[in-house]
Amino acid sequence: MADSGLRTRWDGRRVLISGHSGFVGSWLAMTLRHLNAEVDGFALNDTRATRDRHTWLTAHGVKGHLGDIRDFDAVHRVMSGAPYDAVFHLAAQPVVRVGWEDPHTTLTTNINGSVNILEAARRCAPSVLVHVTSDKCYRNRAWPWPYRETDEMGGGCPYSVSKAAAELVFEGYAKLLDASRPRVASVRFGNIIGGGDHTEHRLVPDTVAALSSGTPIRLRRATAVRPWQHVLDVVRGLLLLADALDDGTVAPGTALNFAPPGDGATAGELATTLAAHWTAAVGREGPTDEPVLLADGFDPGFVEEELLRLDGRLAAAALDWHHRYGLDDAAAAIVDWHRSVLAGTPPQEATAEQIARFFAHVPSSSPADPTGGTRA
């Protein structure tokens, strides 16, 4: 579907987003408002960042409901309050490290949250539901090729187990619902980056904090490879998937990887690219010289997978969806967002400006060059 048709398709549609005040959820909510959808949200809002996003999303016409995704009665009460055309389930505990520190909350949030949203949808029957997990749902293995949708679920830590279990919960409900409403699909995200992510223990927020304060960038493992992708590419993919479920071009029960083309990039490459754009933005008179990258060993007590690649070809083909932003484009957009906010632009305005530019110029089919550019 061409992007010129997105406004027509989403204009006036009623949408519910669980986790609307999270990083990805807020970009999705703002994009849907840009497309004139009616948007409701459901979130716990238990951090300063989520409370701030909830406030400015409300000012942009998003009706937020406060609640815990682990509370079925609260989830059902919200979902039964309107005939929703689409539900996007993003509410989760999203950080691998927190899974080690607080496995109980991680497991109950990510597993019970999926049970509750899918059971509420079974009873309330929205038209479509997009269920979101993570590429960490796959069982760790030693060989280097990318994970595919048919690979085994598993995990080597509480966070991974929670995502694998959420996928199994989805599989059970998908078989139960079959072709009836709601039509459901699950998405396994690769690493999502963009402006406004304030989550602790993540590369982009930590790198931006170092750059803005003029301190060295510290990386847990500079050589770790991940499938980085900009949040707006992901948001567009979610909208295309919901539309494809609605019109029957994607079968109910489908699970898709959302990942950029190519083999991914290292943490060091992403941090270096962010630093280069930051330096270009502030000029050589900025508060720091070229930042120093401290590589392996910064956090030796935390174990994570060195190589994580994700095969996104099935989603690209099924949705005619291709990434606009390569690594360089994404880094430039992140720096632009944060520099704009540091200069006094409200975060919601910086977000809205990037959404408007992205959807005004992205063509319906423009495969991103995995080296960072965009092919016409």
Side-chain angles (χ1 to χ4, degrees):
M1 174 194 298
D3 283 12
S4 60
L6 283 176
R7 182 175 293 275
T8 302
R9 290 293 298 266
W10 289 94
D11 189 359
R13 290 170 79 179
R14 191 72 179 267
V15 181
L16 174 65
I17 305 170
S18 76
H20 71 292
S21 58
F23 165 51
V24 179
S26 62
W27 280 89
L28 176 60
M30 286 288 286
T31 298
L32 284 163
R33 291 297 298 139
H34 173 74
L35 299 173
N36 291 330
E38 297 181 32
V39 183
D40 291 0
F42 179 86
L44 191 56
N45 297 335
D46 56 344
T47 68
R48 178 178 177 180
T50 55
R51 289 191 293 271
D52 288 347
R53 292 191 196 106
H54 172 83
T55 297
W56 54 255
L57 284 168
T58 300
H60 277 260
V62 176
K63 182 180 179 182
H65 301 270
L66 181 65
D68 192 326
I69 197 67
R70 295 171 293 182
D71 181 348
F72 174 73
D73 289 339
V75 175
H76 182 260
R77 185 166 53 249
V78 170
M79 200 179 296
S80 62
Y84 289 106
D85 298 299
V87 174
F88 295 91
H89 174 50
L90 290 93
Q93 191 296 96
V95 182
V96 174
R97 183 180 184 126
V98 173
W100 289 105
E101 298 168 350
D102 188 359
H104 180 267
T105 297
T106 299
L107 291 163
T108 56
T109 299
N110 295 351
I111 300 172
N112 293 356
S114 288
V115 172
N116 289 342
I117 203 83
L118 286 160
E119 177 61 22
R122 185 181 72 87
R123 300 185 188 188
C124 300
S127 295
V128 300
L129 183 145
V130 177
H131 172 267
V132 172
T133 63
S134 163
D135 55 6
K136 309 302 185 298
C137 68
Y138 294 108
R139 184 172 299 281
N140 294 351
R141 48 175 170 68
W143 48 89
W145 53 80
Y147 291 112
R148 296 179 179 176
E149 287 85 353
T150 53
D151 284 344
E152 183 184 4
M153 299 291 103
C157 68
Y159 177 83
S160 297
V161 168
S162 76
K163 293 301 184 178
E167 282 290 342
L168 295 175
V169 168
F170 168 80
E171 181 181 350
Y173 270 95
K175 292 183 183 300
L176 178 66
L177 294 166
D178 195 18
S180 65
R181 292 179 60 182
R183 300 182 184 94
V184 297
S186 192
V187 173
R188 300 155 185 178
F189 283 162
N191 293 60
I192 303 172
I193 56 178
D197 184 3
H198 302 295
T199 310
E200 293 183 352
H201 311 304
R202 278 188 177 167
L203 187 148
V204 169
D206 291 349
T207 298
V208 169
L211 291 167
S212 61
S213 64
T215 57
I217 301 168
R218 301 196 298 173
L219 305 176
R220 286 195 300 268
R221 186 172 297 174
T223 56
V225 174
R226 296 291 183 268
W228 313 103
Q229 55 191 336
H230 193 269
V231 64
L232 281 173
D233 277 315
V234 169
V235 164
R236 179 169 172 262
L238 290 173
L239 298 179
L240 292 174
L241 175 56
D243 276 339
L245 276 173
D246 200 30
D247 65 23
T249 55
V250 165
T254 296
L256 295 172
N257 291 335
F258 271 23
D263 292 330
T266 68
E269 288 170 336
L270 175 56
T272 301
T273 305
L274 286 166
H277 281 284
W278 193 277
T279 300
V282 301
R284 292 295 176 177
E285 294 78 23
T288 181
D289 293 329
E290 290 292 335
V292 177
L293 301 182
L294 303 182
D296 297 342
F298 158 57
D299 193 359
F302 180 64
V303 180
E304 57 187 332
E305 208 171 339
E306 172 78 8
L307 181 65
L308 203 165
R309 292 188 171 121
L310 193 64
D311 188 337
R313 291 177 297 175
L314 185 58
L319 305 176
D320 190 23
W321 167 61
H322 306 283
H323 286 64
R324 173 173 170 78
Y325 289 166
L327 189 73
D328 189 70
D329 302 309
I334 292 167
V335 168
D336 178 67
W337 191 97
H338 283 279
R339 295 294 303 170
S340 180
V341 170
L342 286 171
T345 302
Q348 62 271 31
E349 291 184 16
T351 301
E353 289 171 4
Q354 291 204 342
I355 290 169
R357 286 200 301 270
F358 183 89
F359 284 92
H361 298 296
V362 61
S364 60
S365 182
S366 55
D369 181 344
T371 63
T374 304
R375 294 195 295 269

